[in-house]
Amino acid sequence: MEIAGLFFILIGVLAVIGVQSRIDKADKRVARVERKLDLVIDHLGLREPVDPRMDEVVALLRGDKKIQAIKVYREITGAGLKEAKDAVERMA
């Protein structure tokens, strides 16, 4: 019974390693595509101007004041609560 258990554990570990490898490859591909997209956006001049108050949102996040950061983000962008919460969480 011990050998069968070790065999299944080994298979599980190998499966996890395989999945992690695929995730790493996908992450690298996504990063490469994002870099290319950033270059295209910059070339076309489509980058949105950044509101100077976004620095305030980041500072609030660093100070563990997530709720206030969400409030300020909503004031700046006019976003709804869920949208602002999701955006602020992505910034963290």
Side-chain angles (χ1 to χ4, degrees), residues 25-43:
K25 287 179 185 177
D27 285 345
K28 288 177 184 176
R29 282 193 306 252
V30 167
R32 204 168 49 240
V33 169
E34 286 177 344
R35 281 192 303 271
K36 290 177 182 179
L37 183 58
D38 284 340
L39 289 172
V40 170
I41 288 171
D42 289 341
H43 178 75

Side-chain angles (χ1 to χ4, degrees), residues 15-27:
V16 168
I17 290 171
V19 169
Q20 186 61 44
S21 173
R22 288 181 184 174
I23 291 172
D24 291 342
K25 287 179 185 177
D27 285 345

Side-chain angles (χ1 to χ4, degrees), residues 54-70 73 84-85 87-92:
M54 282 298 180
D55 292 336
E56 182 182 351
V57 173
V58 172
L60 288 167
L61 274 173
R62 288 185 183 147
D64 288 333
K65 298 180 180 177
K66 184 177 170 183
I67 294 173
Q68 285 126 334
I70 293 170
Y73 185 89
K85 179 181 176 286
V88 168
E89 286 176 349
R90 282 192 303 268
M91 294 170 110

